[in-house]
Amino acid sequence: MKKLLLLACLLPSFMSSFAQSTLKSGSNVTLRFVEELKGNSIGANVVVANDVKVGDKIIVSAGTPVQTQVTGTKRRGCGRAGVLNVAFISTRATDGTLVNLMGGRILREGKNKKGLAIGLGVGLGVFAWPFLGCLAIKGGDAIIPEGTLTTNVLTANEVTIK
């Protein structure tokens, strides 16, 4: 009888260690930029900022790298600013399962200096070839500072881990 009682007490705790945890689609994930990102960068160094949990079980650990897609333009002449667009694609769960991400796209634009470029071009047009001076003025770079947090990123698929 004592063995049966002991088995009945231990069975739930034993079974819970083999239980599966499911992270639902649409769960919030906070991301952090590890390095400053400028308009001429090829990729972004982004990690998961906080553990993503279901109950007490960690599904995605803090510090897990995030795959990103960076598109942007360099600053150009005539005062046009640089543009930086970062999309978050995926990360990995603690068991290696792919976790697709959606939303959270970041769009940054540098300082626009078109007015200064046109004014300088018109002003120097009297002395030099018209509007030649406006080509020398470039807009500002688009920058995302190190440590920037993004909280509007969601999981795009349901992830179940043991």
Side-chain angles (χ1 to χ4, degrees):
M1 184 69 177
K2 288 182 184 181
K3 289 181 184 179
L4 187 58
L5 184 58
L6 181 63
L7 181 62
C9 291
L10 292 178
L11 189 60
S13 64
F14 180 71
M15 292 303 286
S16 68
S17 65
F18 291 106
Q20 295 180 345
S21 296
T22 301
L23 180 66
K24 302 284 185 194
S25 176
S27 298
N28 194 26
V29 180
T30 303
L31 306 178
R32 180 175 46 87
F33 283 80
V34 177
E35 298 174 342
E36 181 180 80
L37 185 65
K38 290 190 177 185
N40 57 356
S41 299
I42 296 171
N45 192 356
V46 179
V47 297
V48 176
N50 303 321
D51 290 336
V52 178
K53 297 180 179 181
V54 172
D56 290 337
K57 186 148 187 155
I58 297 174
I59 305 296
V60 181
S61 298
T64 304
V66 175
Q67 182 183 3
T68 60
Q69 180 180 13
V70 178
T71 56
T73 58
K74 293 182 180 179
R75 59 195 179 122
R76 298 186 189 177
C78 291
R80 288 181 285 179
V83 177
L84 190 58
N85 188 2
V86 182
F88 306 105
I89 308 299
S90 64
T91 189
R92 294 275 175 186
T94 54
D95 69 347
T97 305
L98 185 68
V99 179
N100 293 320
L101 302 173
M102 64 181 173
R105 185 176 291 265
I106 292 182
L107 179 64
R108 294 280 168 95
E109 189 171 330
K111 187 175 180 182
N112 192 347
K113 298 179 183 176
K114 279 186 180 178
L116 176 64
I118 290 171
L120 183 62
V122 170
L124 289 178
V126 175
F127 302 108
W129 202 18
F131 298 103
L132 189 59
C134 74
L135 296 175
I137 303 294
K138 294 187 179 203
D141 270 334
I143 296 173
I144 299 175
E146 177 183 340
T148 299
L149 292 176
T150 304
T151 58
N152 56 349
V153 179
L154 305 173
T155 57
N157 61 324
E158 194 171 275
V159 178
T160 302
I161 66 169
K162 290 185 179 184

